[in-house]
C-alpha cells in the first residue's frame, strides 16, 4: 500500500518524539498549595486562583478557579467546569472564564489528565477522564461558592467530548456546551472505514509532545496508523466506549440542555456525526455549524475577540443555569452559516436544512481508473485549507478539464441557470468493480466555474476489504455535510480518485476500479438544496 509507508513513518516519528523525552514528565513533588493571585493585580484579577484538584484514582489535576468579583459570603453561584482541549494547558479558557465569572459564575478549568503537569496518562476520554469531571465538581462544591443545583460543563475539542460523556454519567449536570467536539469517535477519524491520516498523526504527535500517552493509546495509535486490519474490531470497540452517541439514552435520561457547535470543514471531527447525534437528543438542544476547520470557529473567542460561538455559549448557560429568558431557547434550534455568505439561517431541525428538495445527478457513464496515482483532486491540507475557506473563501481547487482521466473518474452536471444552495449531506450511490480484494477511493464534489476551475464543496473516503475481484458491489457514501452556494452559470462535478494525502489508502499495486451504472440500480449523486 502506498500510504502504509507514510503511516509507518508517522508512527516512527511519534515514537521518536517519545524516546527523545519531548513529552512533559509527571511531577513527583507533593501537590503545591493553592496560590491566589491577589498580591499583584497587574498580573491577574483578584478572583483568579490556581489549585491542585484531586482527580479520580488519586491523581492531581492542575486547575484554576474564577469566582465572581465581590462574591457574597453564604451566597451560591452557578458552576461551570471546563476540561481543556487535547494538548492544551489550564490557561486555555482563561479569557472566557473571566468573562463568565464577571457575569456571576464560578468557573473551574483544569488540564485534562495525562497532559502537561496534570497527573495520570492520556486516556482519550476514557472512564478515568469522565470520573475526573465528577471529582472536579465534588471539589468545587466543597471549596468554592458553587451551587450544586446549577452545574454546567463546556469545552473545545477534547474538552467538548469529555463534557458530553460526563453528562451521561453525572446527573448533576444541567447544561453542556460542546464546541468542535465529537459524538462518534469512529465516524470522526475512521469514516468510510478509512483512516484519516493527517488528523490521527497530528493528534498523536501533539499527545506525545504535550503529554504521556498510556499503553492502550500507544497500541491503538500504532494499529490504526499501521493499518493492522486484524485489530480493527478492537479499535472500533475502544472508540465506541469513548463516543457520546453510544450513551445518548443516558444523556437523554439525565436531561441536560446540550448545545453543539462545529465547523463545516472540521478535519478532525467532521460535522456529520454531530448532526446525527443532535437528532437523537430529546432534551433542550441547539446545533450550530459555521465555516472553518477544527476549533477555528471558537478560536478568536479564546483570545478575547468577538465570537459568535462563545456569545451563544454564554447565552446557553445563562438560560439553563440562571433561568434567564434571553431567547436562546425560542430561536430556531439549528443555526447554520453558509460558506458562501455572512448570514445565518435558522431551521427547526437538521432534517429541514435540505428541505428545499433533492437534485439527483445521474452517473450514467461507466468510468475506469487506475489506482495509486494522485489525480490532483484533493480534500486539501488539515487546518490550512478550511481556514483559507473560512476567512477568504478559498477552498481547495482543481482544474476539472485537466484531471487525468486514467486516474480520475469525472461526471458533470449541466450549467445552472440560477444559484443552487447546497445544504446538508450529499450522498453518492454507485456500483464498483475492483480488480483486487481491497481498495480505497475518495469522492469529491466540486463547484465548477466557466473556466473549468473546480472549488471543493465536499468530499469523503471509502475503503473496502475482502471483496471478490471482478465482482461488482454497490456503495452508498455520505460526503461531509456542508452549506455552499453554487453561483448561476456554474455546474457541479463529481470526481473520484484513489489517493488523497488526508487519508490512508489500501489499493494494492496495479489495482483498478470501474464505476458503472447498471440499469437495474442506476448510480447517482443526491444533492440536498435549500428552498429558494
Amino acid at each position: 500500500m502506498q500510504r502504509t509507508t507514510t503511516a509507518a513513518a508517522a508512527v516512527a516519528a511519534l515514537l521518536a518524539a517519545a524516546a527523545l523525552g519531548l513529552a512533559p514528565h509527571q511531577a513527583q513533588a507533593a501537590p503545591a498549595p493553592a496560590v491566589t493571585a491577589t498580591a499583584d493585580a497587574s498580573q491577574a484579577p483578584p478572583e483568579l486562583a490556581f489549585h491542585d484538584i484531586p482527580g479520580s484514582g488519586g491523581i492531581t489535576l492542575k486547575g484554576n478557579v474564577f469566582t465572581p468579583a465581590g462574591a457574597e459570603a453564604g451566597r451560591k453561584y452557578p458552576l461551570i467546569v471546563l476540561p481543556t482541549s487535547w494538548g492544551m494547558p489550564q490557561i486555555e479558557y482563561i479569557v472566557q472564564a473571566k468573562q463568565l465569572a464577571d457575569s456571576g459564575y464560578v468557573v473551574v478549568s483544569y488540564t485534562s489528565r495525562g497532559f502537561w503537569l496534570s497527573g495520570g496518562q492520556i486516556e482519550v476520554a476514557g472512564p478515568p477522564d469522565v470520573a475526573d469531571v465528577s471529582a472536579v465538581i465534588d471539589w468545587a462544591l466543597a471549596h468554592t461558592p458553587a451551587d450544586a443545583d446549577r452545574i454546567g460543563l463546556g469545552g473545545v475539542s477534547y474538552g467538548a467530548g469529555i463534557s458530553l460523556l460526563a453528562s451521561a454519567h453525572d446527573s448533576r449536570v444541567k447544561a453542556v456546551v460542546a464546541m468542535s467536539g465529537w459524538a462518534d469517535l469512529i465516524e470522526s477519524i475512521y469514516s468510510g472505514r478509512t483512516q484519516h491520516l493527517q488528523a490521527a498523526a497530528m493528534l498523536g504527535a501533539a499527545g506525545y509532545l504535550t503529554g504521556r500517552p498510556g499503553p492502550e493509546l500507544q497500541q491503538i495509535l500504532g494499529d490504526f496508523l499501521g493499518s493492522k486490519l486484524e485489530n480493527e474490531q478492537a479499535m472500533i470497540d475502544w472508540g465506541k466506549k469513548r463516543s457520546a452517541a453510544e450513551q445518548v439514552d443516558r444523556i437523554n435520561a439525565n436531561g441536560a440542555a446540550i448545545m453543539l457547535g462545529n465547523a463545516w470543514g472540521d478535519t478532525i471531527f467532521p460535522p456529520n456525526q454531530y448532526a446525527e447525534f443532535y437528532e437523537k437528543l430529546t432534551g433542550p438542544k441547539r446545533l450550530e455549524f459555521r465555516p472553518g476547520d477544527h476549533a477555528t470557529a471558537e478560536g478568536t473567542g479564546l483570545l478575547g475577540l468577538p465570537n459568535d460561538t462563545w456569545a451563544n455559549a454564554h447565552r446557553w448557560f445563562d438560560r439553563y443555569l440562571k433561568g434567564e429568558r434571553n431567547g436562546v431557547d425560542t430561536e430556531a434550534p439549528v443555526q447554520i452559516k453558509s460558506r458562501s455568505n455572512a448570514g445565518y439561517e435558522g431551521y427547526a431541525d437538521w432534517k429541514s436544512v435540505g428541505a428545499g428538495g433533492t437534485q439527483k445527478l445521474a452517473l450514467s457513464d461507466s468510468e475506469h481508473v487506475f489506482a495509486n496515482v494522485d489525480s490532483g483532486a484533493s480534500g486539501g491540507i488539515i487546518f490550512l485549507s478550511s481556514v483559507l475557506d473560512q476567512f477568504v473563501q478559498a477552498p481547495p481547487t482543481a482544474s476539472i478539464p485537466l484531471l487525468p482521466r486514467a486516474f480520475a473518474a469525472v461526471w458533470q452536471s449541466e450549467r445552472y441557470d440560477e444559484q443552487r444552495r447546497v445544504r446538508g449531506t450529499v450522498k453518492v450511490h454507485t456500483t464498483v468493480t475492483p480488480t483486487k480484494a481491497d481498495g480505497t477511493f475518495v469522492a469529491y464534489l466540486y463547484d465548477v466555474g466557466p473556466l473549468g476551475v473546480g472549488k471543493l464543496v465536499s468530499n469523503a473516503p471509502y475503503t473496502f476489504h475482502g471483496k471478490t475481484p471482478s465482482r461488482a458491489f454497490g456503495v452508498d457514501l455520505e460526503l461531509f455535510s456542508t452549506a455552499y452556494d453554487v453561483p448561476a452559470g456554474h455546474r457541479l462535478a463529481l470526481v473520484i480518485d484513489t489517493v488523497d494525502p488526508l487519508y490512508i489508502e489500501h489499493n494494492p499495486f496495479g489495482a483498478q476500479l470501474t464505476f458503472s451504472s447498471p440499469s437495474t440500480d442506476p448510480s447517482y449523486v443526491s444533492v440536498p438544496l435549500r428552498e429558494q
Side-chain angles (χ1 to χ4, degrees), residues 97-119:
K98 171 66 166 59
Q99 293 179 7
L100 286 165
D102 285 344
S103 62
Y105 291 95
V106 173
V107 186
V108 180
S109 176
Y110 67 93
T111 304
S112 299
R113 69 164 52 220
F115 289 101
W116 297 99
L117 296 179
S118 280

Side-chain angles (χ1 to χ4, degrees), residues 305-374:
L305 300 174
N307 183 274
D308 292 348
T309 309
W310 279 104
N312 288 335
H314 286 231
R315 295 172 65 216
W316 193 256
F317 285 134
D318 289 347
R319 175 67 187 92
Y320 291 102
L321 297 183
K322 291 182 178 179
E324 293 184 4
R325 297 290 180 178
N326 56 20
V328 73
D329 57 328
T330 60
E331 299 169 355
V334 176
Q335 295 284 327
I336 70 171
K337 191 174 185 180
S338 168
R339 292 162 50 200
S340 307
N341 61 67
Y344 283 92
E345 302 167 4
Y347 298 89
D349 51 35
W350 175 247
K351 296 187 294 291
S352 300
V353 171
T358 300
Q359 180 178 8
K360 279 192 175 183
L361 308 178
L363 308 179
S364 54
D365 297 329
S366 180
E367 295 282 349
H368 182 86
V369 298
F370 294 89
N372 300 311
V373 175
D374 192 337

Side-chain angles (χ1 to χ4, degrees), residues 12-96:
L14 298 178
L15 295 178
L20 290 171
L22 295 177
H25 298 288
Q26 183 174 340
Q28 299 300 316
V35 178
T36 305
T38 56
D40 186 351
S42 66
Q43 294 180 359
E47 65 270 23
L48 169 64
F50 293 91
H51 290 273
D52 287 342
I53 302 174
S56 65
I59 72 160
T60 297
L61 301 170
K62 295 295 182 177
N64 57 62
V65 179
F66 274 99
T67 54
E72 301 173 10
R75 180 180 173 184
K76 297 296 184 179
Y77 298 86
L79 168 67
I80 297 175
V81 175
L82 303 172
T84 57
S85 302
W86 185 271
M88 295 295 289
Q90 66 188 54
I91 62 171
E92 175 186 10
Y93 303 112
I94 201 163
V95 172
Q96 289 297 326

Side-chain angles (χ1 to χ4, degrees), residues 17 71 91 97 99 122 134 171 175 208 211 223 274 286 288 300 317 345 348 359 400 407 421 431 471 473 528-529:
I91 62 171
Q99 293 179 7
I122 301 173
S134 294
S171 60
Y208 276 109
D223 290 345
Y274 242 22
R286 182 180 177 95
E288 300 181 356
T300 56
F317 285 134
E345 302 167 4
Q359 180 178 8
I400 304 304
F407 309 115
R421 295 185 285 185
T431 295
R471 178 176 295 179
F473 63 93
L529 302 173

Side-chain angles (χ1 to χ4, degrees), residues 149-483:
D149 294 324
R150 295 183 292 169
I151 298 173
L153 304 177
V156 176
S157 184
Y158 194 49
I162 291 175
S163 294
L164 287 175
L165 288 162
S167 72
H169 293 269
D170 197 322
S171 60
R172 296 175 295 181
V173 176
K174 299 299 188 293
V176 176
V177 176
M179 296 170 276
S180 287
W182 78 92
D184 189 325
L185 190 57
I186 298 301
E187 273 300 304
S188 294
I189 62 173
Y190 196 53
S191 67
R193 207 180 177 186
T194 307
Q195 299 104 311
H196 294 208
L197 172 62
Q198 291 184 16
M202 187 282 296
L203 291 172
Y208 276 109
L209 289 170
T210 64
R212 300 168 299 281
E216 189 176 26
L217 172 56
Q218 294 180 46
Q219 177 71 40
I220 290 292
L221 187 62
D223 290 345
F224 184 81
L225 291 174
S227 300
K228 295 183 179 179
L229 192 61
E230 66 273 17
N231 295 334
E232 178 185 40
Q233 189 58 51
M235 183 270 294
I236 291 174
D237 294 341
W238 176 87
K240 285 183 176 181
K241 292 178 183 177
R242 291 157 170 80
S243 297
E246 296 292 320
Q247 303 182 43
V248 68
D249 290 343
R250 297 185 64 164
I251 293 173
N252 288 334
N254 286 339
I258 308 290
M259 173 181 156
L260 306 170
N262 205 352
W264 294 120
D266 194 321
T267 45
I268 308 294
F269 305 127
N272 303 45
Q273 46 90 32
Y274 242 22
E276 292 173 8
F277 174 70
Y278 170 84
E279 288 291 89
K280 297 176 183 177
L281 294 172
T282 57
K285 58 184 180 178
R286 182 180 177 95
L287 177 67
E288 300 181 356
F289 284 140
R290 298 176 177 85
D293 204 313
H294 184 64
T296 65
E298 304 86 27
T300 56
L302 294 175
L303 300 175
L305 300 174
N307 183 274
D308 292 348
T309 309
W310 279 104
N312 288 335
H314 286 231
R315 295 172 65 216
W316 193 256
F317 285 134
D318 289 347
R319 175 67 187 92
Y320 291 102
L321 297 183
K322 291 182 178 179
E324 293 184 4
R325 297 290 180 178
N326 56 20
V328 73
D329 57 328
T330 60
E331 299 169 355
V334 176
Q335 295 284 327
I336 70 171
K337 191 174 185 180
S338 168
R339 292 162 50 200
S340 307
N341 61 67
Y344 283 92
E345 302 167 4
Y347 298 89
D349 51 35
W350 175 247
K351 296 187 294 291
S352 300
V353 171
T358 300
Q359 180 178 8
K360 279 192 175 183
L361 308 178
L363 308 179
S364 54
D365 297 329
S366 180
E367 295 282 349
H368 182 86
V369 298
F370 294 89
N372 300 311
V373 175
D374 192 337
S375 71
S378 171
I381 300 172
I382 188 173
F383 293 133
L384 176 61
S385 298
S386 291
V387 168
L388 288 174
D389 186 38
Q390 175 183 359
F391 291 107
V392 296
Q393 294 187 2
T397 61
S399 176
I400 304 304
L402 296 181
L403 290 176
R405 296 308 197 261
F407 309 115
V410 179
W411 299 266
Q412 296 192 73
S413 73
E414 75 284 355
R415 295 191 186 278
Y416 297 124
D417 294 332
E418 57 184 11
Q419 182 187 63
R420 292 289 193 274
R421 295 185 285 185
V422 180
R423 298 292 186 274
T425 307
V426 175
K427 300 178 181 180
V428 176
H429 175 75
T430 188
T431 295
V432 181
T433 305
T435 60
K436 305 289 184 179
D438 304 324
T440 298
F441 65 85
V442 184
Y444 310 88
L445 187 69
Y446 284 100
D447 159 27
V448 185
L451 299 179
V453 176
K455 294 183 177 181
L456 186 67
V457 177
S458 186
N459 79 101
Y462 184 90
T463 293
F464 58 89
H465 295 289
K467 297 296 184 181
T468 302
S470 302
R471 178 176 295 179
F473 63 93
V475 170
D476 287 290
L477 176 63
E478 290 189 350
L479 306 191
F480 301 133
S481 302
T482 194

